[in-house]
Amino acid sequence: MGIQQWYDAHIMPRLIGFACGQGQIMKRRSQVVPLARGDVFELGCGGGLNQEFYDQDAVKSFAGIDPHGGLLGQAKAQAEARGWAADIREGVGEAIPFADRKFDSVVCTFTLCTVDNPAQVMSEMRRILKPGGQLIFLEHGRAPDANVAKWQDRIEPTWKRLAGGCHLTRPIGSSLRGAGFDVEPHGQGYLPKAPRFAAWNEWGVARKPGV
């Protein structure tokens, strides 16, 4: 195993978990995750960072995937403690292992930045949602300010190697609209006390058309 492979397997998941569990990020999670209803699927559920914020009375069943198998044990334990009928698997967003039109809600937080093919992942999330279902998103990506975006372009190649393939320059709302969702923005802005090149956030609900 090379140094990069060892880093990706043992160090990077811990660093990402620590970074994504900081106070301001958890505060924003608390604003969007409770919107989930019915049969819920979470993309990138490893570590269980979102689970404390779900409205337990509103969630009928819970499913999720994460590509990092070592993070799934904690997610499964938390779901079991909440008494959920949970189906948590190792997997990637480009090939979600669940049936068409299965879920009322999909939750995606700080995940689209790391996937290999964001267009395919968004297509998969749309596929597994019931007509009228909601994709609840909280993501970071390309900043609207030209000077910040310039630094994102410069830093991204090194950043990706250190942060598990995380991209700084991917657009958020416009990409979801391009994937066929009706986007209802709930907020956007820079994360306080974070370097601006990594701090632009957008959050809200993206609905699959239909009834």
Side-chain angles (χ1 to χ4, degrees):
M1 178 182 290
I3 293 176
Q4 186 68 49
Q5 289 79 11
W6 179 85
Y7 174 86
D8 289 345
H10 299 287
I11 303 300
M12 182 274 297
R14 292 180 173 87
L15 290 177
I16 297 298
F18 175 77
C20 290
Q22 295 300 298
Q24 288 295 327
I25 292 179
M26 296 301 279
K27 180 179 179 180
R28 289 194 175 169
R29 293 181 191 273
S30 74
Q31 296 170 344
V32 297
V33 175
L35 299 174
R37 296 287 186 273
D39 295 311
V40 176
F41 171 84
E42 183 177 331
L43 181 66
C45 67
L49 287 173
N50 284 331
Q51 288 198 30
E52 66 178 285
F53 301 120
Y54 284 101
D55 180 347
Q56 191 162 352
D57 293 334
V59 175
K60 179 180 177 182
S61 68
F62 181 81
I65 61 171
D66 199 284
H68 300 290
L71 297 176
L72 295 181
Q74 185 176 351
K76 291 178 180 178
Q78 291 190 24
E80 183 177 348
R82 295 175 71 85
W84 282 343
D87 186 351
I88 297 174
R89 313 179 191 180
E90 186 171 349
V92 296
E94 288 84 358
I96 297 175
F98 291 98
D100 296 357
R101 303 184 177 190
K102 180 175 177 62
F103 298 101
D104 301 291
S105 302
V106 168
V107 175
C108 183
T109 60
F110 298 105
T111 299
L112 290 176
C113 59
T114 61
V115 300
D116 291 334
N117 187 332
Q120 176 64 20
V121 172
M122 286 183 276
S123 176
E124 280 287 278
M125 291 192 291
R126 191 172 184 270
R127 176 185 65 79
I128 65 172
L129 274 171
K130 298 175 184 177
Q134 58 179 359
L135 165 60
I136 298 158
F137 67 93
L138 166 60
E139 295 288 337
H140 80 98
R142 190 166 193 85
D145 301 294
N147 189 55
V148 178
K150 178 180 68 176
W151 280 103
Q152 288 179 319
D153 290 330
R154 291 174 176 174
I155 293 169
E156 184 174 84
T158 300
W159 180 265
K160 287 192 296 183
R161 291 196 296 272
L162 296 175
C166 175
H167 292 72
L168 299 171
T169 61
R170 288 178 172 171
I172 304 167
S174 60
S175 293
L176 291 168
R177 293 183 184 93
F181 288 99
D182 297 327
V183 179
E184 303 170 8
H186 286 196
Q188 61 182 24
Y190 291 101
L191 193 69
K193 300 180 181 179
R196 284 204 153 197
F197 70 84
W200 179 256
N201 286 185
E202 296 179 27
W203 59 97
V205 173
R207 297 192 183 277
K208 177 178 178 177
V211 292

